[in-house]
Amino acid sequence: MAVKPSTQDKSRTFSDVQSQNSGLVSLCLPFTLESQDAAQLERIIEQSPPLKKGGHLFHQGEPFTAIYAVRAGSIKTYTVTNAGEEQITGFYFPGEMIGLSAIDTDDYPISAKVLETTTVCEIPYDSFEQLSNRLPSLKAELIKCMGKELREEQQMMLLLSKKTAEERVATFLLKLSDRFKRRGYSASLFRLSMSRNEIGNYLGLAVETVSRIFSRFQKQQLIQVEGKEVELLDLDELRIVSGEARHDEPLIP
Amino acid sequence: MAVKPSTQDKSRTFSDVQSQNSGLVSLCLPFTLESQDAAQLERIIEQSPPLKKGGHLFHQGEPFTAIYAVRAGSIKTYTVTNAGEEQITGFYFPGEMIGLSAIDTDDYPISAKVLETTTVCEIPYDSFEQLSNRLPSLKAELIKCMGKELREEQQMMLLLSKKTAEERVATFLLKLSDRFKRRGYSASLFRLSMSRNEIGNYLGLAVETVSRIFSRFQKQQLIQVEGKEVELLDLDELRIVSGEARHDEPLIP
DNA sequence: CGCATGATTGAAGTATATCAATAGTGGTGG
DNA sequence: CCACCACTATTGATATACTTCAATCATGCG
């Protein structure tokens, strides 16, 4: 099944009004830049209007034009096999970059879909590349982001190859917790913007397995789930269940 | 189990004799550079003596100092879980880069082990970064490599999450075939430098499963295996088995 | 408010892991 | 050079974690 061409999910360019871009870089991007460099970068990036759930940032196979940073909301990226199966490759939250794997290609190798009302910053890649030739620190920041993503994908390979279903779900919840915490939100109470189906797909599990493990974890007082709302009740035990910590070795040796 | 410190697997710096570095970049690196840029890069890279099978380029947890390009031979990279399980994250052949996921970290997040007698080019990262601030094309080439690696890992996630054992093995063989072909070697006849165990580990399968599928493929006349020597007898059918092609749609539509 | 979609729970099935036993390989040193 | 020994690979029998199928229950969007 061929990849469908992009519908009018997004306006071609979000806005020609570059009015209030000030601070956008520090708000959206995981870049550490001198303020004058940030100002220059702000001139080439555009903030999207709120994107509706279900829309696409880009489709697999479409020409690569830009990378994105999430400003608010969440996004999933996924590849589609020739057999038509979908594999989610990542979930992205505010301050995280999307589309890095498309760099150096003509077409996006993945699709990016909006999970809830979301705003993003669009960074047209040719402008970015031109600018970064004058500002080496820009490229350096991009390289850092890519390195981080590489490490995350390696951890994901490990999860998919070696971890049990329980370990996968625990790892997933803890990873989300960490990311929310880093953003200043609660590390123990949050809302899952993705469906059970999407969690299962991402973790290489059937929906039913995810559901069962949520129930089991709840029974074990590890978590409290109610629909999309999740509370992590016992982070330490979750860490053990995830395979990241062990009973016999303390977290800080 | 903590990660062991590096033994004397490699000499600290391979050689202080920078005698015959000429052409090293074009020989080892997947970089496309102007000749004067390449010459500058050559000044900071060092070729290793032949490394013996079983040695390490670096261990997980050691300070990150350099990235590497394979010149001859092959390397595997792997992560170790807290439970002590090993997950191979990649196999690397001549012209491929190792250690990119360590960029932006203090310590290597993976280990790199020599699979057969191998020579590599060591690129000390601080020198590389300094040089690349003057030569923006250097950073651009690095970004391209990282993008490629990201895409490969995404494909690997798909494989680990969605493909059957047969699809995984077929995909693996075809991927190797492609890489050898690109290097000018035979696409259908080659030697596996890794063990069945390592193949299984990489593909998320038990050794026995890999062995059984090799036998099955042989019985089906898809391949001819004799120890580490493999011949791909029916590339088209292998592509179908791998899930990359389908019976009802031709390769060139 | 109703109906499509998503979530949960139970029962049965299966692909692959694990266990086990044998056969082959390759490297080393006598 | 060959013989030994440890390691690697193969093949078969059994076990199991997870999937698939099925039915019910909840949810939320129009």
Side-chain angles (χ1 to χ4, degrees):
Chain A
M1 184 189 313
V3 170
K4 278 178 288 186
S6 189
T7 56
Q8 56 273 64
D9 286 327
K10 57 164 178 165
S11 32
R12 194 148 285 276
T13 63
F14 292 131
S15 157
D16 295 317
V17 194
Q18 301 272 337
S19 46
Q20 205 48 311
N21 256 2
S22 163
L24 210 52
V25 165
S26 60
L27 277 170
C28 301
L29 304 201
F31 284 11
T32 311
L33 290 172
E34 301 289 329
S35 63
Q36 58 265 40
D37 293 358
Q40 292 214 52
L41 179 54
E42 257 154 25
R43 269 183 229 123
I44 68 163
I45 73 182
E46 276 183 87
Q47 190 175 173
S48 77
L51 304 169
K52 281 206 300 278
K53 176 176 174 169
H56 274 83
L57 237 42
F58 49 81
H59 281 99
Q60 187 172 342
E62 281 180 2
F64 168 60
T65 55
I67 56 179
Y68 298 85
V70 180
R71 175 143 168 45
S74 51
I75 301 277
K76 74 167 176 182
T77 55
Y78 61 97
T79 46
V80 183
T81 59
N82 302 41
E85 277 182 315
E86 176 180 320
Q87 171 64 35
I88 295 174
T89 53
F91 296 110
Y92 296 86
F93 296 97
E96 298 176 342
M97 302 286 302
I98 299 168
L100 302 184
S101 69
I103 290 174
D104 170 44
T105 63
D106 294 331
D107 305 327
Y108 288 105
I110 54 174
S111 300
K113 194 169 186 177
V114 178
L115 290 174
E116 62 190 322
T117 303
T118 295
T119 55
V120 299
C121 292
E122 184 181 56
I123 308 167
Y125 194 68
D126 51 0
S127 316
F128 179 85
E129 205 171 23
Q130 277 169 39
L131 181 59
S132 66
N133 281 336
R134 285 186 287 117
L135 306 175
S137 59
L138 255 187
K139 272 208 181 88
E141 288 299 320
L142 180 64
I143 287 169
K144 284 184 184 182
C145 282
M146 294 180 88
K148 185 159 173 264
E149 184 117 357
L150 277 171
R151 289 193 297 281
E152 273 165 18
E153 288 186 1
Q154 283 166 2
Q155 288 307 302
M156 204 57 202
M157 285 168 60
L158 192 151
L159 178 145
L160 292 170
S161 178
K162 294 277 176 298
K163 294 199 174 189
T164 64
E166 289 203 349
E167 288 171 336
R168 293 182 200 198
V169 174
T171 304
F172 176 72
L173 291 173
L174 287 169
K175 186 84 196 301
L176 283 185
S177 167
D178 262 11
R179 287 154 92 183
F180 289 132
K181 188 181 179 183
R182 198 151 306 177
R183 303 248 111 60
Y185 295 104
S186 170
S188 57
L189 184 65
F190 47 86
R191 195 179 164 282
L192 301 169
S193 56
M194 67 296 289
S195 70
R196 301 287 193 274
N197 216 317
E198 287 166 328
I199 295 172
N201 181 299
Y202 179 58
L203 297 177
L205 299 171
V207 205
E208 296 94 327
T209 307
V210 174
S211 194
R212 270 185 259 269
I213 288 173
F214 272 19
S215 303
R216 208 177 305 163
F217 281 179
Q218 178 147 266
K219 211 162 287 170
Q220 295 168 199
Q221 305 273 17
L222 296 178
I223 65 174
Q224 176 74 33
V225 242
E226 194 159 327
K228 309 230 151 200
E229 298 292 333
V230 184
E231 186 173 7
L232 308 188
L233 300 174
D234 191 341
L235 285 168
D236 289 344
E237 189 60 26
L238 273 174
R239 265 186 275 271
I240 291 163
V241 172
S242 77
E244 275 163 42
R246 291 202 291 172
H247 271 114
D248 53 4
E249 61 180 328
L251 292 174
I252 299 113
Chain B
M1 185 190 313
V3 171
K4 277 177 289 185
S6 189
T7 55
Q8 56 273 61
D9 285 328
K10 58 164 177 165
S11 31
R12 193 147 287 276
T13 62
F14 291 133
S15 157
D16 296 318
V17 195
Q18 302 270 337
S19 46
Q20 205 47 311
N21 256 2
S22 161
L24 211 51
V25 165
S26 60
L27 277 169
C28 302
L29 303 201
F31 284 12
T32 311
L33 291 172
E34 302 288 328
S35 63
Q36 59 265 38
D37 293 359
Q40 292 213 55
L41 179 54
E42 258 155 25
R43 270 183 228 122
I44 68 163
I45 72 182
E46 275 182 87
Q47 190 177 173
S48 77
L51 305 168
K52 283 207 299 278
K53 175 177 175 170
H56 274 82
L57 238 41
F58 49 80
H59 282 100
Q60 187 173 341
E62 280 180 3
F64 168 60
T65 56
I67 56 179
Y68 297 85
V70 180
R71 176 145 168 42
S74 51
I75 300 279
K76 73 167 177 182
T77 56
Y78 61 96
T79 46
V80 182
T81 58
N82 301 41
E85 277 181 317
E86 174 180 321
Q87 171 64 35
I88 295 174
T89 53
F91 296 109
Y92 296 86
F93 296 98
E96 299 176 343
M97 301 286 302
I98 299 167
L100 301 183
S101 69
I103 290 174
D104 170 42
T105 61
D106 294 330
D107 305 327
Y108 288 104
I110 54 175
S111 300
K113 195 170 185 176
V114 178
L115 291 174
E116 61 190 320
T117 303
T118 295
T119 55
V120 299
C121 293
E122 184 181 56
I123 307 166
Y125 193 67
D126 51 1
S127 316
F128 179 86
E129 204 171 24
Q130 278 170 36
L131 181 59
S132 66
N133 282 336
R134 287 185 285 118
L135 305 175
S137 59
L138 255 188
K139 273 207 180 88
E141 288 298 319
L142 180 64
I143 287 169
K144 284 184 184 181
C145 282
M146 294 179 88
K148 185 160 175 262
E149 184 118 355
L150 277 171
R151 289 192 297 281
E152 273 166 18
E153 287 185 1
Q154 283 166 2
Q155 288 308 303
M156 205 58 204
M157 286 168 59
L158 192 152
L159 178 144
L160 292 171
S161 178
K162 294 279 176 298
K163 294 199 175 189
T164 65
E166 288 204 349
E167 288 171 336
R168 292 181 201 199
V169 174
T171 304
F172 176 72
L173 291 173
L174 287 169
K175 185 86 195 304
L176 284 185
S177 166
D178 262 10
R179 287 153 93 183
F180 288 132
K181 187 180 180 182
R182 197 151 309 175
R183 238 125 270 99
Y185 294 104
S186 169
S188 56
L189 184 63
F190 47 86
R191 194 180 165 283
L192 301 169
S193 56
M194 68 294 290
S195 70
R196 301 287 193 275
N197 217 316
E198 287 165 328
I199 295 172
N201 181 299
Y202 179 58
L203 297 177
L205 300 171
V207 204
E208 296 93 325
T209 306
V210 174
S211 195
R212 271 185 257 271
I213 288 172
F214 273 19
S215 303
R216 209 178 303 163
F217 281 179
Q218 179 147 268
K219 212 161 287 171
Q220 295 168 200
Q221 304 274 17
L222 297 179
I223 64 174
Q224 176 74 32
V225 242
E226 193 160 329
K228 309 229 151 200
E229 298 293 332
V230 184
E231 185 173 6
L232 308 187
L233 300 174
D234 191 342
L235 285 168
D236 289 345
E237 189 60 27
L238 273 173
R239 265 186 274 270
I240 292 161
V241 172
S242 78
E244 276 161 44
R246 291 202 292 172
H247 271 110
D248 53 6
E249 61 181 327
L251 292 173
I252 301 115

